[in-house]
Amino acid sequence: MANQQPNSGNPRVDIEYRRKKSAEEMRHQVITFALMIFLTIVAFVAAGYEGFSGWFVVPFILILALVQVVFQLYYFMHMSHKGHEAPAMFLYSGAFVGFITIIAFLTVIWW
Amino acid sequence: MSTLAQKKGFGAVLWDYLTTVDHKKIAILYLIAGGFFFLLGGLEAMFIRIQLAVPNNDFVSAGLYNEILTMHGTTMIFLAAMPLIFAFMNAVMPLQIGARDVAFPFLNSLGFWLFFFGGVFLNLSWFLGGAPDAGWTSYASLSIASEGHGIDFYALGLQISGAGTLIGGINFLVTIINMRAPGMTYMRMPLFTWTTFVTSALILFAFPALTVGLFLLIFDRMFGSNFFDPAMGGNTIIWEHFFWIFGHPEVYILVLPAFGIFSEIFAIFSRKRLFGYSSMVFATVLIGFLGFMVWAHHMFTTGMGPIANAIFAVATMAIAVPTGIKIFNWLFTMWGGSITFTTPMLWAIAFIPSFVAGGVTGVMLASAAQDYQYHDSYFVVAHFHYVIVGGVVFALFAGAHLYWPKMFGTMLSEFLGKITFVLFFIGFHLTFFIQHFLGLWGMPRRIFTYLPGQGFDTSNMVSTVGAFFMAAAVIILLINVVITSVKNEKVGNDPWGDGRTLEWAIPSPPPFYNFKQLPLVRGLDAYWLEKMEGKKGMSPAEPLGDIHMPNNSFVPFVISFGLFVAAFGAMYHNEHSWGIPVLIVGMLITLGSMFVRSVKDDHGYHIHKEDLEDNNDKGVKA
Ligand code: HEM
Ligand SMILES: [Cu+2]
């Protein structure tokens, strides 16, 4: 896997390639980290600003949260790398089942 | 650890099984424990049928009847059917994918012991003030009102054994994703492995709903919360949703592995490749997916409203489509095959019409407007016994005969096997077919007796007679097991002669490391392919080398025992002062042994290459 350390005694490891990969990886992480902080500030501003109604702010912050989760999963937990297909599939299936459950409770029991 | 210990004393064998992490031995543990609970549940069923045989019967009292009925359903689903399926998954799936064990052998053992202690806890209720009596569904309006500790036993016992099931499911998933032999792509996996895979995914997603529901119930009953009490602002319907979000996938958790076993049987005994393999895989996955969107068909009459009812009705009927695909594929597999009518094959052939009958009544029930008539009548009882007995139990019998040689190295008697089959088949239809009509004539389910002269008398007697046929069949199976074990005539790798998948390429029972060298898989039905090219066995995918094995461990037993102790504390803490201390001690045992497990390094051991070279002749048991 690409996130392995370059000092793995395997002679066939292309250290140059690894280094380039890691640098790229690092750049992505810094960029997403900056973006995430930015999104957090946006969320605070949206909540603090008097002019927006709750009907706008709540869904807006939820969407921001979703974006953050995706960043977290893909850039910090390396789900963008190869070999993560099965975990990704189970993660989405689980989210789907949870989603169905919540929708059903909201619409069928409490509506 | 000696690899060649031949004769061991009873104590040593017992200790070996208490500490084993070998998937084949854990399979045997599941088989024994599940088989025991199956007999227990069967005994309860006989009591039910005796009580209902004649009107106004007083064989058991109303309260005791409720307990027996509840324990019958709960035991059969959670403590018999599930573990027996787990027995076959453990015994066969790792062999089918060419693995040396499951991904987490330690967790495998933990899963078994959790199930075992949960089951023992649940059944101790008989001796400690009365069993649960709110039905296997334990609807909150009944279970919150139920007096005594019965429901507490239900909630705590199922919580413990449910944790074991969840662990088992995750273990199988990881095993199938990560441990397939070289060349074993997903689309070359035998169907039993595929159904194990989808079933495990269903377990992963469905059991948390039960866990949450049970925790809410435990808090409501033992710790003063009010999730389900409408008078306190709770909502009793929430339990029903949680239960069925788990419960409907659960019925597919049971039946998909059954489909897997039958798929193997049809292919083996028709001497043909399974017809429509990829559509079978597709149908399995689709059933698993749809299985999550239909739970409310159990709640049509709770007043969800016409829109919700319509959505769930249509979704439910949709499941009949992939199920139909499977039925036709099995028929086409047999078509033109050279069929041998062995005992497993007889079960498989009988399964088709029996299960289809259950599917048809299922679609009838799925139509919400009709369900207002059928709901809570014997029609529903007939439906689910047709699918569960005609599907799951038939598969367990078939699987027991098919895989007995692989698990124990001996063949069950075909003659006695066929007698078991005939008796059970007759008994099954005698018992449950008439119950469709009892339901349509208006007999409600879960009643402990009925008055004479309503037209129920003869039919109930017929049903009871059928139950005795099934009991006789089970007794003959037990005799068969005893005779076979006493005779102890060992068989070779492929005792049925037509084995297609990897498990038949290795000795029966396999050596504890399964494969000396991992096999190279060159297609679907890997072993059959090699046989057709005139080869004796699989070609190896790796040179002979050291094999890394896990050490046995007693820790899983202790972890589970701790929870067992803690459950007593939780249950009695309201009336006895020792409750809380016992709860704490139990949790300390569990957490302490988990801590020991975490800090103590256990790297396992290696079987050395030289030792493997020694016993080269294939048939020898390691
Ligand atoms: C074509 C497939 C199926 C359909 C359309 C279907 C539909 C239904 C419906 C609508 C009910 C609720 C009836 C009521 O309570 O009024 C029901 C109950 C039930 N079904 Fe099925 N079913 C199908 C297959 C299965 C299978 C494969 C199993 C198990 C292996 C199963 C097990 C059960 C059980 C256990 C109940 C009763 C639960 C209870 O109330 O105690 N069903 N089914
Ligand atoms: Cu259902």
Side-chain angles (χ1 to χ4, degrees), chain B residues 454-474:
Chain B
Q454 302 183 86
F456 299 160
D457 309 11
T458 326
S459 313
N460 270 301
M461 183 50 96
V462 169
S463 190
T464 300
V465 170
F468 277 95
F469 272 85
M470 286 192 277
V474 172

Side-chain angles (χ1 to χ4, degrees), chain B residues 32 59 96-97 154 171 268 331 356 364 375 417-418 426 434 445 460 465 513 527 551 564 570 597 609:
Chain B
I32 295 172
F59 178 70
Q96 281 195 332
I97 61 172
Y154 172 95
N171 206 347
I268 291 176
L331 292 176
V356 167
M364 292 169 73
H375 183 62
K418 282 172 184 162
I426 294 174
I434 196 81
R445 69 188 278 202
N460 270 301
V465 170
Y513 46 81
Y527 182 44
N551 280 328
F564 177 76
R597 162 75 183 172
K609 201 162 116 183

Side-chain angles (χ1 to χ4, degrees), chain B residues 77 136-137 244 248 251-252 254-255 297-298 300 316-317 319-320 323 355 358-359 362-363 365-366 371 374-376 380 383-384 387-388 392 445-446:
Chain B
I77 299 265
W136 83 283
T137 51
W244 288 118
H248 188 83
V251 302
Y252 283 98
L254 294 175
V255 89
H297 64 214
H298 297 274
F300 283 146
T316 303
M317 292 177 197
I319 295 201
T323 315
F355 187 82
V363 177
L365 291 166
D371 186 61
Y374 303 136
H375 183 62
D376 268 351
V380 176
H383 157 68
F384 66 71
V387 279
I388 294 186
V392 185
R445 69 188 278 202
R446 291 176 173 162

Side-chain angles (χ1 to χ4, degrees), chain A residues 86 89-90 93-94 96-97 100-101 104-105 108-110, chain B residues 173 177 201 204-205 235 238 241-242 245 289 293 295 304:
Chain A
M89 193 191 81
F90 280 93
S93 313
F96 177 70
V97 172
I100 295 259
T101 307
F105 272 58
V108 180
I109 307 183
W110 291 314
Chain B
L173 280 177
I177 293 175
L204 176 63
F205 296 131
N235 188 336
I238 295 176
H241 278 285
F242 273 132
I245 288 174
F289 177 74
M293 267 156 287
W295 77 87
M304 293 187 301

Side-chain angles (χ1 to χ4, degrees), chain B residues 15 17-19 106 109-110 112-114 116-117 553-564 589 593:
Chain B
W15 181 250
Y17 274 89
L18 288 179
T19 60
F106 179 90
S109 147
L110 180 60
F112 170 78
W113 290 111
L114 284 171
F116 180 78
F117 277 109
S553 172
F554 191 53
V555 178
F557 186 96
V558 183
I559 293 180
S560 314
F561 177 72
L563 287 179
F564 177 76
I589 298 178
S593 41

